[in-house]
Amino acid sequence: MALPILLLVLSNIFMTYAWYGHLKFKEQPLWLVILASWLIAFVEYCFQVPANRIGHSQYSAAQLKIMQEVITMVVFCAFSVL
């Protein structure tokens, strides 16, 4: 079942950007980057929750978490390079 994996990848792209993307906007007020990060994180949850809900029909919670962590590392490495 590839859909949960695809949703986890999309979720991680948004999560990584929400956590670290604001570092490029140091001149912006802190409250603004917090708000922007929360809005981006909302989109991340819109992918994360369905990924886990759909994925749990085929994978265990432990398997989903391991996939999540591996995907997180891959996405973060790509984000660091770019």
Side-chain angles (χ1 to χ4, degrees), residues 2-75:
L3 183 58
I5 296 169
L6 174 64
L7 291 171
L8 286 173
V9 169
L10 291 171
S11 167
N12 267 277
I13 291 169
F14 281 96
M15 177 189 68
T16 302
Y17 192 73
W19 284 10
Y20 301 104
H22 65 86
L23 296 174
K24 289 187 175 187
F25 301 98
K26 293 180 182 180
E27 70 283 352
Q28 298 299 322
L30 184 58
W31 71 268
L32 185 59
V33 295
I34 290 171
L35 178 63
S37 292
W38 272 90
L39 292 172
I40 295 167
F42 172 77
V43 177
E44 180 253 328
Y45 270 77
C46 289
F47 290 116
Q48 179 70 27
V49 172
N52 287 327
R53 171 95 33 130
I54 295 166
H56 198 255
S57 66
Q58 184 172 359
Y59 304 108
S60 70
Q63 289 171 318
L64 287 166
K65 181 60 178 171
I66 291 167
M67 281 190 270
Q68 168 72 25
E69 294 302 325
V70 170
I71 291 167
T72 296
M73 294 305 296
V74 170
V75 168

